[in-house]
Coordinates of all heavy atoms in Angstrom, one line a residue:
N1 N 0.9 -1.2 0.0 CA 0.0 0.0 0.0 C 0.8 1.3 0.0 O 0.4 2.4 -0.4 CB -1.0 0.0 1.3 CG -1.9 -1.1 1.1 OD1 -2.2 -1.6 0.1 ND2 -2.6 -1.4 2.3
Q2 N 2.1 1.2 0.6 CA 3.0 2.3 0.5 C 4.2 2.0 -0.3 O 4.6 1.0 -0.6 CB 3.4 2.5 2.0 CG 2.4 3.1 2.8 CD 3.0 3.4 4.2 OE1 4.1 3.0 4.6 NE2 2.2 4.2 5.0
Q3 N 4.8 3.2 -0.8 CA 6.0 3.0 -1.6 C 7.2 2.7 -0.6 O 7.1 3.0 0.5 CB 6.3 4.4 -2.3 CG 5.1 4.6 -3.3 CD 5.5 6.0 -4.0 OE1 6.4 6.7 -3.6 NE2 4.7 6.3 -5.1
P4 N 8.3 2.1 -1.2 CA 9.4 1.8 -0.4 C 10.0 3.0 0.4 O 10.5 2.9 1.5 CB 10.4 1.2 -1.4 CG 9.6 0.6 -2.5 CD 8.3 1.6 -2.6
A5 N 9.9 4.2 -0.3 CA 10.5 5.4 0.4 C 9.7 5.8 1.6 O 10.3 6.1 2.6 CB 10.5 6.5 -0.6
A6 N 8.4 5.5 1.7 CA 7.6 5.8 2.9 C 7.9 4.8 3.9 O 7.9 5.1 5.1 CB 6.1 5.7 2.5
I7 N 8.2 3.5 3.5 CA 8.5 2.5 4.5 C 9.8 2.8 5.1 O 10.0 2.6 6.3 CB 8.5 1.1 3.8 CG1 7.0 0.8 3.4 CG2 8.9 0.0 4.8 CD1 6.9 -0.5 2.6
I8 N 10.8 3.2 4.3 CA 12.1 3.6 4.8 C 11.9 4.8 5.8 O 12.6 4.8 6.9 CB 13.0 4.0 3.7 CG1 13.4 2.7 2.8 CG2 14.3 4.7 4.2 CD1 14.2 3.0 1.6
F9 N 11.1 5.8 5.5 CA 10.9 6.9 6.4 C 10.3 6.4 7.7 O 10.7 6.9 8.8 CB 9.9 7.9 5.7 CG 9.7 9.1 6.5 CD1 10.6 10.0 6.7 CD2 8.4 9.2 7.1 CE1 10.3 11.2 7.6 CE2 8.1 10.4 7.9 CZ 9.2 11.3 8.1
N10 N 9.3 5.5 7.6 CA 8.7 4.9 8.8 C 9.8 4.2 9.7 O 9.7 4.1 10.9 CB 7.5 4.0 8.5 CG 6.4 4.9 8.1 OD1 6.2 6.0 8.4 ND2 5.4 4.2 7.3
T11 N 10.7 3.5 9.0 CA 11.7 2.8 9.6 C 12.6 3.7 10.4 O 13.1 3.4 11.6 CB 12.5 1.9 8.7 OG1 11.6 1.0 8.0 CG2 13.6 1.1 9.4
L12 N 13.0 4.8 9.8 CA 13.8 5.8 10.5 C 13.1 6.4 11.7 O 13.7 6.7 12.7 CB 14.2 6.9 9.4 CG 15.1 6.5 8.3 CD1 15.4 7.6 7.3 CD2 16.5 6.0 8.9
I13 N 11.8 6.6 11.6 CA 11.1 7.1 12.7 C 11.1 6.1 13.9 O 11.3 6.4 15.0 CB 9.6 7.4 12.4 CG1 9.6 8.6 11.4 CG2 8.7 7.7 13.6 CD1 8.2 9.0 10.9
L14 N 11.0 4.8 13.5 CA 11.0 3.8 14.6 C 12.4 3.8 15.2 O 12.6 3.6 16.4 CB 10.7 2.4 14.0 CG 9.2 2.2 13.8 CD1 9.1 0.8 13.0 CD2 8.5 2.1 15.0
L15 N 13.4 3.9 14.4 CA 14.9 3.9 14.9 C 15.0 5.1 15.8 O 15.8 5.0 16.8 CB 15.8 4.0 13.7 CG 16.1 2.6 13.0 CD1 17.1 2.8 11.9 CD2 16.6 1.6 14.0
A16 N 14.4 6.3 15.4 CA 14.6 7.5 16.3 C 14.0 7.2 17.7 O 14.5 7.9 18.7 CB 13.8 8.6 15.7
F17 N 13.0 6.3 17.9 CA 12.6 5.9 19.3 C 13.4 4.8 19.8 O 13.6 4.7 21.0 CB 11.1 5.5 19.1 CG 10.2 6.7 19.0 CD1 9.6 7.0 17.7 CD2 9.9 7.6 20.0 CE1 8.8 8.0 17.6 CE2 9.2 8.7 19.9 CZ 8.5 8.9 18.6
F18 N 13.8 3.8 18.9 CA 14.4 2.6 19.4 C 15.8 2.8 20.0 O 16.2 2.3 21.1 CB 14.5 1.6 18.2 CG 15.1 0.2 18.6 CD1 14.3 -0.6 19.3 CD2 16.4 0.0 18.4 CE1 14.8 -1.9 19.6 CE2 16.9 -1.3 18.7 CZ 16.1 -2.2 19.3
V19 N 16.6 3.6 19.3 CA 18.0 3.9 19.8 C 18.1 4.6 21.2 O 18.7 4.1 22.1 CB 18.8 4.7 18.7 CG1 20.1 5.1 19.3 CG2 18.9 3.8 17.5
P20 N 17.3 5.7 21.4 CA 17.3 6.3 22.7 C 16.8 5.4 23.8 O 17.3 5.4 25.0 CB 16.6 7.6 22.6 CG 16.5 7.9 21.2 CD 16.7 6.6 20.4
F21 N 15.8 4.7 23.4 CA 15.1 3.7 24.4 C 16.1 2.6 24.7 O 16.3 2.3 26.0 CB 13.9 3.1 23.9 CG 13.1 2.2 24.8 CD1 12.4 2.8 25.9 CD2 13.1 0.8 24.7 CE1 11.8 1.9 26.8 CE2 12.6 0.0 25.6 CZ 11.9 0.6 26.6
G22 N 16.9 2.1 23.8 CA 17.9 1.1 24.1 C 19.1 1.7 24.9 O 19.5 1.0 25.9
Y23 N 19.3 2.9 24.7 CA 20.4 3.6 25.5 C 19.8 3.8 27.0 O 20.6 3.5 28.0 CB 20.7 4.9 25.1 CG 21.8 5.7 25.9 CD1 23.1 5.3 25.8 CD2 21.3 6.7 26.8 CE1 24.0 6.0 26.6 CE2 22.3 7.3 27.6 CZ 23.7 7.0 27.5 OH 24.5 7.6 28.2
L24 N 18.6 4.1 27.1 CA 18.0 4.2 28.5 C 17.9 2.9 29.2 O 18.2 2.8 30.4 CB 16.5 4.8 28.3 CG 15.7 4.9 29.5 CD1 16.3 6.0 30.4 CD2 14.3 5.1 29.2
M25 N 17.6 1.9 28.5 CA 17.6 0.4 29.1 C 19.0 0.1 29.6 O 19.1 -0.6 30.6 CB 16.9 -0.5 28.2 CG 15.5 -0.3 27.9 SD 14.5 -0.2 29.5 CE 14.9 -1.8 30.2
D26 N 20.0 0.4 28.8 CA 21.3 0.0 29.1 C 21.8 0.8 30.4 O 22.4 0.3 31.2 CB 22.3 0.4 28.0 CG 22.2 -0.6 26.7 OD1 21.6 -1.6 27.0 OD2 22.8 -0.2 25.7
R27 N 21.3 2.1 30.4 CA 21.6 2.9 31.6 C 21.0 2.3 32.9 O 21.6 2.3 33.9 CB 21.2 4.3 31.3 CG 21.6 5.3 32.2 CD 21.3 6.7 31.7 NE 21.3 7.6 32.8 CZ 20.9 8.9 32.6 NH1 20.5 9.3 31.5 NH2 20.8 9.6 33.7
V28 N 19.7 1.9 32.7 CA 19.0 1.3 33.8 C 19.7 0.1 34.3 O 19.9 -0.1 35.6 CB 17.5 1.1 33.6 CG1 16.9 0.2 34.5 CG2 16.8 2.5 33.3
M29 N 20.1 -0.8 33.4 CA 20.8 -2.1 33.7 C 22.0 -1.8 34.3 O 22.4 -2.5 35.4 CB 21.0 -2.9 32.5 CG 19.6 -3.4 31.9 SD 18.7 -4.4 33.0 CE 19.8 -5.9 33.1
Y30 N 22.7 -0.9 33.9 CA 24.1 -0.6 34.5 C 24.0 0.1 35.8 O 24.8 -0.3 36.8 CB 24.9 0.5 33.6 CG 26.3 0.8 34.0 CD1 27.2 -0.3 33.9 CD2 26.6 2.0 34.5 CE1 28.5 0.0 34.4 CE2 28.0 2.2 35.0 CZ 28.9 1.2 34.8 OH 30.1 1.5 35.3
R31 N 23.0 0.9 36.1 CA 22.9 1.5 37.5 C 22.4 0.3 38.4 O 22.8 0.3 39.6 CB 21.8 2.6 37.4 CG 22.4 3.8 36.8 CD 21.4 4.9 36.9 NE 21.9 6.2 36.5 CZ 21.3 7.3 36.5 NH1 20.1 7.4 36.9 NH2 21.9 8.5 36.0
T32 N 21.5 -0.5 38.0 CA 21.1 -1.8 38.8 C 22.3 -2.5 39.0 O 22.6 -3.0 40.3 CB 20.1 -2.5 38.2 OG1 19.0 -1.6 37.8 CG2 19.6 -3.6 39.0
Y33 N 23.2 -2.8 38.2 CA 24.4 -3.6 38.3 C 25.3 -2.9 39.3 O 25.8 -3.6 40.2 CB 25.0 -3.8 37.0 CG 26.5 -4.5 37.1 CD1 26.7 -5.8 37.5 CD2 27.6 -3.7 36.9 CE1 27.9 -6.3 37.5 CE2 28.9 -4.2 37.0 CZ 29.0 -5.5 37.3 OH 30.3 -6.1 37.5
Q34 N 25.5 -1.6 39.2 CA 26.4 -0.9 40.1 C 25.8 -0.9 41.6 O 26.6 -1.1 42.5 CB 26.5 0.7 39.7 CG 27.2 0.8 38.4 CD 28.8 0.5 38.6 OE1 29.3 0.4 39.7 NE2 29.4 0.3 37.4
R35 N 24.5 -0.9 41.7 CA 23.9 -0.9 43.0 C 24.1 -2.3 43.6 O 24.4 -2.4 44.8 CB 22.4 -0.6 42.9 CG 21.8 0.0 44.1 CD 20.3 0.4 44.0 NE 20.2 1.3 42.9 CZ 19.3 1.1 41.8 NH1 18.5 0.0 41.9 NH2 19.1 2.0 40.9
K36 N 23.9 -3.3 42.9 CA 24.1 -4.7 43.3 C 25.6 -4.9 43.7 O 25.9 -5.5 44.7 CB 23.7 -5.7 42.3 CG 22.2 -5.9 42.2 CD 21.8 -7.0 41.2 CE 20.4 -7.2 41.1 NZ 20.0 -8.2 40.1
Q37 N 26.5 -4.4 42.9 CA 27.9 -4.5 43.2 C 28.2 -3.8 44.4 O 29.0 -4.4 45.3 CB 28.7 -3.9 42.0 CG 30.2 -4.2 42.0 CD 30.9 -3.8 40.8 OE1 30.4 -2.9 40.1 NE2 32.0 -4.2 40.6
G38 N 27.7 -2.6 44.7 CA 28.0 -1.9 45.9 C 27.5 -2.6 47.1 O 28.0 -2.6 48.1
A39 N 26.3 -3.2 47.0 CA 25.6 -3.9 48.1 C 26.4 -5.2 48.4 O 26.6 -5.6 49.6 CB 24.2 -4.3 47.7
A40 N 26.9 -5.8 47.4 CA 27.7 -7.0 47.5 C 29.0 -6.6 48.3 O 29.5 -7.4 49.2 CB 28.1 -7.7 46.3
K41 N 29.6 -5.5 47.9 CA 30.9 -5.1 48.6 C 30.7 -4.7 50.0 O 31.4 -5.0 50.8 CB 31.5 -3.9 47.8 CG 32.1 -4.3 46.5 CD 32.8 -3.1 45.9 CE 33.6 -3.5 44.6 NZ 34.1 -2.4 44.0
T42 N 29.6 -4.0 50.3 CA 29.2 -3.7 51.7 C 29.0 -4.9 52.5 O 29.2 -5.0 53.6 CB 28.2 -2.7 51.8 OG1 26.9 -3.2 51.2 CG2 28.5 -1.3 51.2
A43 N 28.3 -5.9 51.9 CA 28.0 -7.2 52.7 C 29.3 -7.9 52.8 O 29.4 -8.5 54.1 CB 27.0 -8.1 51.8
K44 N 30.2 -7.9 52.0 CA 31.5 -8.6 52.2 C 32.2 -7.8 53.3 O 32.9 -8.4 54.2 CB 32.3 -8.7 51.0 CG 31.9 -9.8 50.0 CD 33.0 -9.8 48.9 CE 32.7 -10.9 47.9 NZ 33.6 -11.1 47.0
A45 N 32.2 -6.5 53.3 CA 32.9 -5.8 54.3 C 32.2 -6.0 55.7 O 33.0 -6.1 56.7 CB 32.9 -4.2 54.1

C-alpha cells in the first residue's frame, strides 16, 4: 500500500525511538548492576 520510500521513512522514525530507548535501558541495567555490586561489597565488608 505504501512506496518503499515511505516504508524507509517509517523505519527511520522507529529507529529514532528505538535507539534512545535502548540507551535508556542500558543505563538502567548498568545502574542496577552498580547498586548490586555496591551492596555485595558492603555485605562482604
Side-chain angles (χ1 to χ4, degrees):
N1 294 339
Q2 289 184 345
Q3 295 178 353
I7 296 174
I8 291 173
F9 181 72
N10 287 339
T11 303
L12 291 175
I13 290 174
L14 284 174
L15 283 175
F17 287 104
F18 184 80
V19 171
F21 184 74
Y23 179 80
L24 177 70
M25 291 308 299
D26 287 347
R27 191 170 157 188
V28 168
M29 292 297 294
Y30 185 69
R31 285 186 175 180
T32 304
Y33 170 73
Q34 290 291 341
R35 205 173 308 124
K36 284 183 181 180
Q37 189 176 16
K41 283 183 180 179
T42 56
K44 281 187 177 183

